[in-house]
Amino acid sequence: MNQIPKARRIAVVTGGMGGLGVAICRQLANAGRHVIALDLAARVERLAGLQHELADLEGIVGFEPADVSDFEQCQQVIARIEQQHGGIDVLVNAAGITRDTSLRKMSPQQWHELMRVNLDGVFNMCRHVVDGMSSRGFGRIVNISSVNGQTGQFGQTNYSAAKAGVHGFSMALARETARRGVTVNTVSPGYCDTPMVAAVSAEVREQIIADIPVGRLGTPGDIARAVGFLAADDAGYLTGINLPVNGGYFMSF
Ligand code: NAD
């Protein structure tokens, strides 16, 4: 195990091997952070490729398997990371799933599965890092929501509810930690060029792009840039905000 210089901040990114997660890991590593990508065990196969890409950077990316919907697993993985590397300074909650269908067809299982990952997952992770951050007097928490949590989306009552809930959670926790050097913010990506959006039909995709003033889908790098901004050491006066990164999408309304 490499010895980490004390000055290097430790960052954990849930969903760290996903379309946006990898870009967020890269952004934070680029800023010299020691980054732990936390994701489902099966995603470890992406780690070698990421480490290869980052070989010339100062930062480091490692991997820890965990299911964010499981409270005990989150507690155990955070304890393991803190024991190996020291206190967690930056937490980015990017793990997320969709279970799309109209409400008329939505099963309780589709509702609860999504809530357990997209909303409980944020609680499960924050619950176990916030005391350490508060006692050390520094922390940056960035929760990834979605434009669909701000506008609602057909077929996504579960997803839109969870994503709107994520920002309510961020604001409440931001108030609880504001005097302890811990900021809590939300980033709400618009439609990004990732497998999630690639799955829609060409016709729907064209319509989505037509509604984006910038005239293109977002890139994972666009989102990671915003996360890096909020996670910076000198971003301590920004807390409880919801930063939309959507190519000016709201101006279309
Ligand atoms: P993705 O599917 O590529 O990545 C999500 C990652 O989360 C995957 O690596 C997956 O393994 C992981 N994950 C899922 N369930 C998990 C669990 N229980 N425990 C741990 N990890 C788990 O999706 P993405 O496009 O990278 O999205 C990342 C975040 O951004 C999500 O929260 C998503 O809702 C949000 N978002 C994405 C878009 C977009 O256009 N891609 C837009 C708005 C918001």
Side-chain angles (χ1 to χ4, degrees):
M1 185 65 57
N2 291 335
Q3 276 296 88
I4 316 295
K6 197 97 179 84
R8 178 168 279 165
R9 298 255 185 233
I10 306 297
V12 172
V13 180
T14 77
M17 292 288 105
L20 301 187
V22 164
I24 294 168
C25 289
R26 185 182 294 119
Q27 178 83 29
L28 296 176
N30 214 351
R33 311 300 168 103
H34 184 106
V35 183
I36 314 291
L38 187 154
D39 209 306
L40 296 171
R43 304 287 274 175
V44 71
E45 97 266 345
R46 296 195 67 187
L47 179 63
L50 179 62
Q51 285 176 329
H52 181 71
E53 281 176 48
L54 296 178
D56 57 330
L57 297 180
E58 193 202 337
I60 298 163
V61 178
F63 180 84
E64 283 287 342
D67 179 344
V68 297
S69 70
D70 184 319
F71 187 77
E72 273 78 33
Q73 274 193 42
C74 291
Q75 184 172 32
Q76 286 159 9
V77 75
I78 287 165
R80 203 159 61 229
I81 292 168
E82 297 206 325
Q83 204 173 25
Q84 281 178 10
H85 304 293
I88 293 167
D89 304 296
V90 176
L91 169 65
V92 182
N93 285 301
I97 59 170
T98 52
R99 292 289 181 269
D100 294 357
T101 186
S102 64
L103 184 72
R104 292 174 57 233
K105 296 180 192 152
M106 190 174 291
S107 66
Q109 187 183 356
Q110 287 168 318
W111 175 267
H112 290 302
E113 269 181 16
L114 186 135
M115 289 297 161
R116 277 200 287 271
V117 178
N118 293 12
L119 195 52
D120 295 7
V122 175
F123 164 75
N124 292 341
M125 289 298 296
C126 290
R127 178 66 180 77
H128 298 301
V129 299
V130 84
D131 279 348
M133 287 179 171
S134 298
S135 63
R136 290 188 298 276
F138 179 88
R140 299 281 178 265
I141 297 176
V142 182
N143 295 320
I144 307 299
S145 177
S146 167
V147 64
N148 292 344
Q150 301 180 284
T151 62
Q153 183 55 272
F154 188 97
Q156 290 198 324
T157 50
N158 51 1
Y159 185 86
S160 301
K163 292 299 189 183
V166 162
H167 185 54
F169 176 98
S170 295
M171 289 189 293
L173 184 58
R175 286 184 186 275
E176 292 183 17
T177 59
R179 302 206 173 198
R180 297 173 189 273
V182 180
T183 65
V184 188
N185 291 295
T186 304
V187 168
S188 287
Y191 294 98
C192 296
D193 201 0
T194 61
M196 214 182 237
V197 171
V200 305
S201 71
E203 196 188 335
V204 172
R205 193 182 155 94
E206 271 167 36
Q207 187 53 53
I208 289 172
I209 294 172
D211 287 339
I212 300 172
V214 167
R216 64 168 175 84
L217 296 172
T219 65
D222 290 326
I223 310 307
R225 177 74 187 81
V227 173
F229 171 66
L230 292 171
D233 279 19
D234 56 2
Y237 206 60
L238 278 163
T239 198
I241 68 157
N242 187 356
L243 180 57
V245 186
N246 61 25
Y249 187 69
F250 292 153
M251 293 188 293
S252 311
F253 291 95

